[in-house]
Amino acid sequence: MQYQCMQLIKEREKMEINGVDIKDTFAEAFGIQVSRLLITAATKKLAKVAAVEATGYGTSVIGCPAEAGIDCYVPPEETPDGRPGYVVMICNMDKKKLDHELLERVGMCVLTAATTAVFDALENPDEKLETGRKMKFYGDGYEKQMEVDGRTIHSIPLMSGDFLMEHDLGIKSGVAGGNFFIMAENQPAGLLAADAAVDAIKAVPGVITPFPGGIVSSGSKVGSNKYKFMGASTNEKMCVTLKEDVEGCEIPENVNGVYEIVIDGVDEEAVKAAMKAGIEAAVKVKGVIQISAGNFGGNLGKYKLNLQDLF
Amino acid sequence: MQYQCMQLIKEREKMEINGVDIKDTFAEAFGIQVSRLLITAATKKLAKVAAVEATGYGTSVIGCPAEAGIDCYVPPEETPDGRPGYVVMICNMDKKKLDHELLERVGMCVLTAATTAVFDALENPDEKLETGRKMKFYGDGYEKQMEVDGRTIHSIPLMSGDFLMEHDLGIKSGVAGGNFFIMAENQPAGLLAADAAVDAIKAVPGVITPFPGGIVSSGSKVGSNKYKFMGASTNEKMCVTLKEDVEGCEIPENVNGVYEIVIDGVDEEAVKAAMKAGIEAAVKVKGVIQISAGNFGGNLGKYKLNLQDLF
Amino acid sequence: MQYQCMQLIKEREKMEINGVDIKDTFAEAFGIQVSRLLITAATKKLAKVAAVEATGYGTSVIGCPAEAGIDCYVPPEETPDGRPGYVVMICNMDKKKLDHELLERVGMCVLTAATTAVFDALENPDEKLETGRKMKFYGDGYEKQMEVDGRTIHSIPLMSGDFLMEHDLGIKSGVAGGNFFIMAENQPAGLLAADAAVDAIKAVPGVITPFPGGIVSSGSKVGSNKYKFMGASTNEKMCVTLKEDVEGCEIPENVNGVYEIVIDGVDEEAVKAAMKAGIEAAVKVKGVIQISAGNFGGNLGKYKLNLQDLF
Amino acid sequence: MQYQCMQLIKEREKMEINGVDIKDTFAEAFGIQVSRLLITAATKKLAKVAAVEATGYGTSVIGCPAEAGIDCYVPPEETPDGRPGYVVMICNMDKKKLDHELLERVGMCVLTAATTAVFDALENPDEKLETGRKMKFYGDGYEKQMEVDGRTIHSIPLMSGDFLMEHDLGIKSGVAGGNFFIMAENQPAGLLAADAAVDAIKAVPGVITPFPGGIVSSGSKVGSNKYKFMGASTNEKMCVTLKEDVEGCEIPENVNGVYEIVIDGVDEEAVKAAMKAGIEAAVKVKGVIQISAGNFGGNLGKYKLNLQDLF
């Protein structure tokens, strides 16, 4: 069966970067509603504390109430209030759910965090959600409207000072589930390559890698063969410890470590730039053998992002 | 009005630690269902990545789907699988919701994280939730049952290796909302004292400080005076920027920075130990003037934790 | 005596930013030989580990063998080898000592660190030190010369792979001891403002803040009044706990927390840009009262950096 | 030649842990003068900033002025001043050099760091160095002597408050250069195992791993075959990229990643406990093939720490 795996690979078109095989396949990605906000605070560390709390429990909308993550750090001289900040992205397929998530994630995890403020950071929005307008009612009449850097801002008095938040937050139709697989000699090689990929992707604006540390160690298939009540289950053809046990294994014979990088972005271009940067970083790590990607045959998702077309 | 604040204080019984006034009041705390799990991984950093993702968006059940946080680090020689790990606590008032949160937070944020395993870490549980038993179905028949350190463990094959999870996770009736206020000369002094308090509380087992960085910058009251559709709104009597503007201000005249530490714990003793450790740390910081606590008159919560009784 | 302090201040020219007094004084800075190198590694974290080790024990040449620190992070797409890296600066008044420090700090702290490489990152050098050429002899004949991104590189075989280092490293006459004082209501306010200042300075290229965390808690005077064998001793006129005890106190009456930010840079312009960015960040923090600067009357240092001229 | 490597291994006595070969060899370690101090600060983060700066540029006395590192974190309730702290170790073969290093590393990197204090943390010292007594002269007569937790402490006024330091610091004859090699399938596997080993060693009191991140990527031999002016050079028999090119290669054929963990400790027992904990952690990582150790034939160092005797 493993021999068969290798055959399949040999039949495809060959592309190599740094000696690593780039499989002739595509990532299948989906439409999602994306918001992008800037959280500033008195210090970089305080801004990060809020950004991390607000984007936790946000790996995939399959089980989490949102997909969320940190996009990038913004130094003080480039933010509306001249303080250091982090841009985060919070996403959901459903606009109403996204509205709810923005209100709760900002209200419970940013407003409550020390010295923070929130500004819209989405370019070219399709529309605006009035998260700030709704948040201001928390001020119970003591809130004030002001302008900061040309933006309409609500200042809400809190115990420790005033929380500033922009009136509305842009949302737009973005892309979820851009991805690639790192197929490596062993688990540590896959992991180091995944870390390197995530570092490279952090430098691409407009994207997040919503899984823990940006890395996915599990791969799912739709449904389950054995347990009919399960909507999804492990993709046994991609499991390194099942190589000898399942038919149709999709892991090359010399691969014993597989990690996936999943990318959400403001648009297809951003996701493709992130995939490219991530793959170029991953192939530099010793022990990486192949880069592949995940799809469902191309019938489920709106976007087909071919790996070889990235280069 | 500020003069009146000071008067009120003078009428109470006096207690001081390190020159800081400990107000004669109590924290009003609530019952909550508590789970406590150990997440191990190949390295301390990998365990933390999973623990942080799984406990994010978990400051307060008022708006978050759970209250969650990291309790403590456990070195490799003290864990069931001999790998470094973090103990996290995930809590909800409602047992069914807690069951759901455990399944999703572990399934989406820990199982997906690189090299992780999950073990029960709650002593003296009231009952057990079969999170691990439910999770195993993700293995689609390829899962295996084994014993690790005397525990029943399910091994679920994933892309990058096998995810190990204990069959059931204990839950028990614990305490939510233990708290104290740090009243300081200015915002930075309150913040540094809050940081010091959180550091001290981290050394107390069985508790979490679920807010961002362990610190709360906002204080709420039930309902709203102006906006009747709001279930909660800012507690204007505790806002430093409203000292001149509201009647019945509860902030001493020389206080211009107020932060709250909120504590959830496995039981009343753990929460009280955390409050004590946190307060003793906070009063060491320059610029701290008073320690107070939040309550609702004592009629809402199950627990009344008097500050002066802690010492 | 404190009254007298306030008088002195009132006599000077007034400048305020965000309500904070900018004292009409100057930082006295010195010439120093500056090197600037890029340390890359497989991941951002691995590069940081090496950069931190190589720049430790490097606050001031008064007692440390060099002044050293991290300038900035460089994302993979901007480095010669396409991997993430940190730019560090290592400085000494004496060219021979700098040569020695480069050799030992790179040889003992970067070459020994996992997956690293070293490239020159100094623009417009006065001259070049052949640190890489000397380092290559460690290869005992197994070293190889190659070109990376147009640079002459030595590849030195190590246990875990090959260490790449550029043939020579530029040095130039730069500036040491650019500085400003943050005078605050209390210690925590000074500290938070100092943190904010350091965050802002990190975004200015070509500078480091070599003290621990970028912050100096001590201020020295030349010599000692009581102990003649001491070359330097505490500047009692700047000590918040001695305000009542010394004559000629230089701390405003309402100031009880003083921190200094010290800046080394590749040239005067970089240091001035850093001072400006740092001060603008510091004055945003609550409880900051005055920004001042340290000098020795203007007769010792080559550079006089007037605070008010920065704006 | 590689075949010959394998032969040599087969001739030795066999020991395996978790399927990883523990080579029948010993680490050769040396005597060193060890100091161990506790650095406390207002917060855990502030204590770490000082500890990191004070122990930088401290991998090996071959080229660094000391061997230094962080031993462990100490929570507030266990420190003399009730604040969080880090225990660091600073070591040198030469007592006079150690005296100098203590004075400068504490004076330049801890005294200058925000909110710090320094206490002795060495049990059973051979003798005491009066670092604190010397440091007090920096106070220029404004220093005060006091007692904290039964210790003689000097309080030295600084700009931002008073720096507290214990009168003397214990030193004792300890052990340097305890070590083991991780031989892995590839570089990332060796690196992840090294990370896991360092995490495990952190839980052993009385030891440090002084190299960057605790990991050594280079291995040296005494002298050089080609360049007679070199006192040390790369150990070509241990270089993974020279396996095909040198005679007498000491790397097993299937090994392509080698990292060393070097340990300094207060005594032989501590170093052996650290080696044991580190090895037990390393062998848990996938792709690790063999654990070996470094020695010079046993004639140079005072201590021979046999790997197989650890278990």
Side-chain angles (χ1 to χ4, degrees):
Chain A
M1 174 210 57
Q2 284 164 21
Y3 180 71
Q4 181 192 1
C5 291
M6 295 309 295
Q7 282 300 97
L8 279 168
I9 289 157
K10 278 179 194 153
E11 281 161 21
R12 293 176 186 280
E13 221 182 298
K14 270 303 206 188
M15 181 179 186
E16 277 196 1
I17 307 179
N18 209 33
V20 175
D21 178 34
I22 308 298
K23 206 174 164 181
D24 181 26
T25 188
F26 63 96
E28 189 169 353
F30 298 81
I32 197 163
Q33 293 296 317
V34 173
S35 67
R36 191 170 182 265
L37 23 157
L38 170 68
I39 301 169
T40 63
T43 64
K44 187 176 179 180
K45 182 185 159 256
L46 286 168
K48 188 155 196 185
V49 161
V52 166
E53 184 71 39
T55 58
Y57 191 26
T59 64
S60 162
V61 288
I62 289 174
C64 293
E67 301 190 4
I70 292 174
D71 179 348
C72 58
Y73 170 68
V74 186
E77 75 265 33
E78 297 173 24
T79 64
D81 63 356
R83 303 188 308 162
Y86 281 88
V87 169
V88 304
M89 286 170 51
I90 300 174
C91 315
N92 199 300
M93 265 68 178
D94 183 285
K95 226 176 273 182
K96 276 208 176 153
K97 284 183 184 164
L98 179 55
D99 190 34
H100 173 262
E101 287 297 304
L102 283 172
L103 207 55
E104 297 300 357
R105 287 178 183 259
V106 172
M108 301 305 297
C109 306
V110 185
L111 174 144
T112 63
T115 77
T116 52
V118 169
F119 302 94
D120 185 28
L122 186 70
E123 286 178 27
N124 306 317
D126 295 338
E127 59 184 293
K128 299 265 196 171
L129 296 180
E130 297 192 316
T131 314
R133 194 191 66 88
K134 291 177 186 170
M135 199 75 72
K136 77 169 184 177
F137 299 119
Y138 183 74
D140 200 9
Y142 295 99
E143 71 276 9
K144 282 182 194 142
Q145 191 168 318
M146 51 171 69
E147 230 183 70
V148 174
D149 199 32
R151 297 156 186 258
T152 301
I153 300 291
H154 300 288
S155 171
I156 304 171
L158 303 182
M159 273 193 327
S160 62
D162 295 343
F163 173 70
L164 268 59
M165 178 162 188
E166 189 154 353
H167 183 76
D168 43 23
L169 298 175
I171 64 168
K172 67 172 290 189
S173 193
V175 180
N179 70 75
F180 58 93
F181 293 108
I182 298 167
M183 314 286 249
E185 212 171 73
N186 49 28
Q187 196 191 48
L191 198 45
L192 188 68
D195 255 343
V198 171
D199 283 344
I201 292 170
K202 273 180 194 148
V204 178
V207 297
I208 56 170
T209 51
F211 278 83
I215 303 171
V216 197
S217 68
S218 56
S220 297
K221 65 175 181 290
V222 177
S224 164
N225 296 320
K226 184 163 180 183
Y227 307 117
K228 296 306 169 195
F229 51 89
M230 293 294 285
S233 62
T234 199
N235 184 355
E236 69 276 7
K237 294 178 185 175
M238 289 292 285
C239 290
V240 292
T241 56
L242 299 178
K243 278 165 69 178
E244 314 279 333
D245 306 321
V246 299
E247 272 192 51
C249 149
E250 292 168 9
I251 304 172
E253 192 175 358
N254 52 346
V255 166
N256 288 298
V258 180
Y259 286 98
E260 184 183 4
I261 306 294
V262 168
I263 300 154
D264 288 358
V266 291
D267 55 32
E268 196 178 339
E269 287 319 300
V271 171
K272 282 158 74 174
M275 288 172 64
K276 180 173 186 288
I279 291 168
E280 286 174 343
V283 298
K284 287 198 168 69
V285 171
K286 290 189 174 67
V288 174
I289 288 166
Q290 188 189 71
I291 301 298
S292 180
N295 60 60
F296 309 88
N299 299 317
L300 287 181
K302 185 174 167 189
Y303 304 94
K304 292 180 196 63
L305 311 170
N306 194 283
L307 292 186
Q308 298 193 349
D309 292 348
L310 297 171
F311 303 97
Chain B
M1 172 209 58
Q2 282 164 24
Y3 180 72
Q4 181 192 3
C5 289
M6 296 307 294
Q7 282 300 97
L8 279 169
I9 289 155
K10 278 179 194 154
E11 280 160 21
R12 293 175 186 277
E13 224 183 296
K14 269 300 203 191
M15 181 180 187
E16 278 196 359
I17 306 179
N18 209 33
V20 174
D21 179 34
I22 309 298
K23 204 173 166 182
D24 181 27
T25 187
F26 63 95
E28 189 169 354
F30 299 81
I32 197 164
Q33 293 296 316
V34 173
S35 67
R36 191 169 182 266
L37 23 156
L38 171 67
I39 301 169
T40 64
T43 63
K44 188 177 179 179
K45 182 185 159 256
L46 286 168
K48 189 155 196 186
V49 161
V52 166
E53 183 71 38
T55 58
Y57 190 26
T59 63
S60 162
V61 288
I62 289 176
C64 295
E67 301 189 4
I70 292 174
D71 179 348
C72 58
Y73 170 67
V74 187
E77 76 265 34
E78 297 172 24
T79 64
D81 64 356
R83 303 189 309 162
Y86 282 88
V87 169
V88 304
M89 287 169 50
I90 300 173
C91 315
N92 199 299
M93 265 67 179
D94 182 286
K95 226 175 273 182
K96 275 207 175 151
K97 284 183 183 163
L98 180 55
D99 190 36
H100 174 264
E101 287 298 303
L102 282 172
L103 208 55
E104 296 301 357
R105 286 178 183 259
V106 172
M108 302 306 297
C109 305
V110 185
L111 176 144
T112 62
T115 79
T116 51
V118 170
F119 302 93
D120 185 27
L122 185 70
E123 286 178 28
N124 307 316
D126 295 338
E127 60 184 292
K128 299 267 195 171
L129 296 180
E130 297 192 316
T131 314
R133 194 191 66 88
K134 290 178 186 167
M135 199 75 73
K136 77 169 184 178
F137 298 119
Y138 183 75
D140 200 10
Y142 295 99
E143 70 278 8
K144 280 178 195 146
Q145 191 168 318
M146 52 170 69
E147 231 182 68
V148 174
D149 199 32
R151 298 155 185 259
T152 301
I153 300 292
H154 300 289
S155 172
I156 305 171
L158 303 182
M159 274 193 327
S160 62
D162 296 342
F163 173 69
L164 269 59
M165 179 161 186
E166 189 154 353
H167 183 75
D168 42 24
L169 298 174
I171 63 167
K172 66 172 291 187
S173 192
V175 180
N179 71 76
F180 58 93
F181 293 108
I182 297 167
M183 314 285 250
E185 212 170 74
N186 50 28
Q187 197 191 46
L191 198 44
L192 188 67
D195 254 344
V198 171
D199 283 344
I201 291 170
K202 272 180 195 148
V204 178
V207 297
I208 56 170
T209 51
F211 278 83
I215 302 171
V216 197
S217 68
S218 56
S220 298
K221 65 175 181 290
V222 178
S224 165
N225 296 319
K226 183 163 182 184
Y227 306 117
K228 297 306 169 194
F229 51 90
M230 294 293 284
S233 63
T234 200
N235 184 354
E236 70 275 7
K237 295 179 186 175
M238 289 292 287
C239 291
V240 293
T241 56
L242 298 179
K243 278 166 70 179
E244 315 278 334
D245 305 321
V246 298
E247 272 192 50
C249 148
E250 292 169 8
I251 303 172
E253 192 176 357
N254 52 345
V255 166
N256 288 299
V258 180
Y259 286 98
E260 184 184 4
I261 306 294
V262 169
I263 300 155
D264 288 359
V266 292
D267 55 32
E268 196 179 338
E269 287 318 300
V271 171
K272 282 158 75 174
M275 288 171 65
K276 181 174 186 287
I279 292 169
E280 285 174 343
V283 297
K284 287 198 168 69
V285 171
K286 290 190 175 68
V288 175
I289 288 166
Q290 188 189 71
I291 301 297
S292 181
N295 61 60
F296 308 88
N299 300 317
L300 287 181
K302 186 175 167 188
Y303 303 94
K304 293 181 195 61
L305 311 169
N306 193 282
L307 292 186
Q308 299 193 349
D309 292 348
L310 297 171
F311 302 97
Chain C
M1 176 208 59
Q2 281 164 25
Y3 181 71
Q4 181 193 2
C5 291
M6 295 309 292
Q7 283 300 97
L8 279 169
I9 289 157
K10 277 178 194 157
E11 282 161 18
R12 294 177 185 277
E13 223 182 297
K14 272 304 209 185
M15 181 180 185
E16 279 196 359
I17 306 179
N18 209 34
V20 175
D21 179 34
I22 309 298
K23 206 173 163 180
D24 181 27
T25 188
F26 63 96
E28 189 169 354
F30 298 82
I32 197 164
Q33 293 296 316
V34 173
S35 67
R36 192 169 181 266
L37 21 157
L38 170 68
I39 301 169
T40 64
T43 64
K44 187 177 179 179
K45 182 184 159 258
L46 287 168
K48 187 155 198 186
V49 161
V52 166
E53 183 71 38
T55 58
Y57 190 27
T59 63
S60 162
V61 288
I62 289 175
C64 294
E67 301 190 4
I70 293 174
D71 178 349
C72 60
Y73 171 68
V74 187
E77 76 265 34
E78 297 172 25
T79 64
D81 63 357
R83 303 188 309 162
Y86 282 88
V87 170
V88 304
M89 287 169 51
I90 299 174
C91 316
N92 198 300
M93 264 67 179
D94 183 285
K95 228 176 271 182
K96 276 206 175 151
K97 283 184 185 164
L98 180 54
D99 190 35
H100 174 263
E101 287 299 302
L102 283 172
L103 207 55
E104 297 300 356
R105 286 178 183 259
V106 172
M108 302 306 297
C109 306
V110 185
L111 174 144
T112 63
T115 78
T116 51
V118 169
F119 303 93
D120 185 28
L122 185 71
E123 286 177 28
N124 307 317
D126 295 338
E127 59 184 294
K128 298 265 194 173
L129 296 180
E130 296 192 317
T131 314
R133 193 191 66 87
K134 292 177 186 169
M135 199 75 74
K136 77 168 184 179
F137 298 120
Y138 183 75
D140 200 11
Y142 295 100
E143 71 277 10
K144 282 181 193 142
Q145 192 169 317
M146 51 170 70
E147 230 182 70
V148 174
D149 200 31
R151 298 157 185 256
T152 301
I153 299 291
H154 299 289
S155 172
I156 305 171
L158 303 183
M159 275 193 327
S160 61
D162 296 342
F163 173 70
L164 269 59
M165 179 161 186
E166 189 154 355
H167 182 75
D168 42 23
L169 298 176
I171 63 167
K172 67 172 291 188
S173 192
V175 180
N179 71 76
F180 58 93
F181 293 108
I182 298 167
M183 314 285 249
E185 210 171 73
N186 48 29
Q187 196 192 48
L191 198 44
L192 188 68
D195 255 343
V198 171
D199 283 345
I201 291 171
K202 272 181 194 147
V204 178
V207 296
I208 56 169
T209 51
F211 278 83
I215 302 171
V216 198
S217 68
S218 56
S220 298
K221 66 174 179 291
V222 178
S224 164
N225 297 319
K226 184 162 181 183
Y227 307 117
K228 297 306 169 194
F229 51 89
M230 294 293 286
S233 63
T234 199
N235 184 355
E236 70 275 6
K237 295 180 186 175
M238 289 292 284
C239 291
V240 292
T241 56
L242 298 178
K243 278 166 68 180
E244 313 280 332
D245 304 322
V246 299
E247 272 193 50
C249 150
E250 292 170 8
I251 304 171
E253 192 175 357
N254 52 345
V255 166
N256 288 297
V258 180
Y259 286 97
E260 184 184 5
I261 306 294
V262 168
I263 300 154
D264 289 358
V266 292
D267 56 30
E268 196 179 338
E269 287 320 299
V271 172
K272 282 157 75 174
M275 287 171 64
K276 181 173 187 286
I279 291 168
E280 286 173 344
V283 298
K284 287 198 168 69
V285 170
K286 290 191 175 66
V288 175
I289 288 167
Q290 188 190 73
I291 301 297
S292 181
N295 61 60
F296 308 89
N299 300 316
L300 288 180
K302 185 174 168 188
Y303 303 94
K304 292 180 196 62
L305 311 170
N306 193 283
L307 292 186
Q308 297 193 352
D309 292 348
L310 298 170
F311 302 97
Chain D
M1 175 208 57
Q2 283 162 22
Y3 181 70
Q4 180 193 3
C5 291
M6 296 308 294
Q7 282 299 98
L8 279 170
I9 287 154
K10 276 180 194 153
E11 281 160 20
R12 294 179 185 276
E13 224 183 295
K14 270 300 206 189
M15 182 179 185
E16 278 195 358
I17 306 179
N18 210 33
V20 175
D21 179 33
I22 309 298
K23 205 175 166 181
D24 181 25
T25 189
F26 63 95
E28 190 170 353
F30 298 82
I32 197 164
Q33 293 297 316
V34 173
S35 68
R36 190 168 183 266
L37 22 157
L38 170 67
I39 300 168
T40 64
T43 63
K44 188 177 179 179
K45 182 184 159 259
L46 286 168
K48 189 155 196 186
V49 161
V52 166
E53 183 71 38
T55 58
Y57 190 27
T59 64
S60 163
V61 288
I62 288 175
C64 294
E67 301 190 1
I70 291 175
D71 179 348
C72 59
Y73 170 67
V74 186
E77 78 265 30
E78 297 173 23
T79 63
D81 63 356
R83 304 188 308 162
Y86 282 88
V87 170
V88 304
M89 285 169 54
I90 300 174
C91 315
N92 199 299
M93 266 65 178
D94 184 284
K95 227 176 273 182
K96 275 206 176 154
K97 283 183 184 163
L98 180 55
D99 190 36
H100 174 263
E101 286 298 303
L102 283 173
L103 208 55
E104 296 300 357
R105 286 178 183 260
V106 172
M108 302 305 298
C109 306
V110 186
L111 176 145
T112 62
T115 78
T116 52
V118 170
F119 302 93
D120 185 28
L122 185 70
E123 286 179 27
N124 306 317
D126 295 338
E127 59 184 295
K128 299 265 193 170
L129 295 179
E130 296 192 317
T131 314
R133 193 190 68 88
K134 291 177 186 169
M135 199 74 75
K136 78 169 183 177
F137 298 119
Y138 183 75
D140 200 10
Y142 294 100
E143 71 276 9
K144 282 182 194 142
Q145 191 167 317
M146 51 170 70
E147 232 182 66
V148 174
D149 201 31
R151 298 155 184 258
T152 301
I153 299 291
H154 300 289
S155 172
I156 304 171
L158 303 182
M159 273 193 327
S160 62
D162 296 341
F163 173 68
L164 268 59
M165 178 162 188
E166 191 155 354
H167 182 75
D168 42 24
L169 298 176
I171 64 167
K172 66 172 291 187
S173 191
V175 179
N179 71 77
F180 59 91
F181 293 108
I182 298 166
M183 313 285 251
E185 212 170 75
N186 49 29
Q187 196 191 47
L191 198 46
L192 188 67
D195 254 343
V198 171
D199 283 345
I201 291 170
K202 271 180 195 148
V204 178
V207 296
I208 56 169
T209 51
F211 278 83
I215 302 171
V216 197
S217 68
S218 56
S220 298
K221 65 173 181 289
V222 178
S224 165
N225 296 319
K226 184 164 181 184
Y227 307 117
K228 296 307 170 193
F229 51 90
M230 293 293 285
S233 63
T234 198
N235 184 355
E236 70 275 7
K237 296 179 185 174
M238 289 291 287
C239 290
V240 295
T241 55
L242 299 178
K243 278 166 70 178
E244 314 279 333
D245 305 321
V246 299
E247 273 192 51
C249 149
E250 293 168 7
I251 303 171
E253 192 175 358
N254 52 346
V255 166
N256 288 298
V258 180
Y259 286 97
E260 184 185 6
I261 306 293
V262 168
I263 299 154
D264 289 357
V266 291
D267 55 31
E268 196 178 339
E269 287 319 300
V271 172
K272 282 157 75 174
M275 288 171 64
K276 181 175 186 283
I279 292 169
E280 286 174 344
V283 298
K284 288 199 168 70
V285 171
K286 291 190 174 68
V288 175
I289 288 166
Q290 188 190 71
I291 301 297
S292 181
N295 61 61
F296 308 88
N299 299 317
L300 287 182
K302 185 174 166 189
Y303 304 94
K304 293 180 193 62
L305 311 170
N306 192 282
L307 291 186
Q308 298 192 351
D309 292 348
L310 297 171
F311 303 97

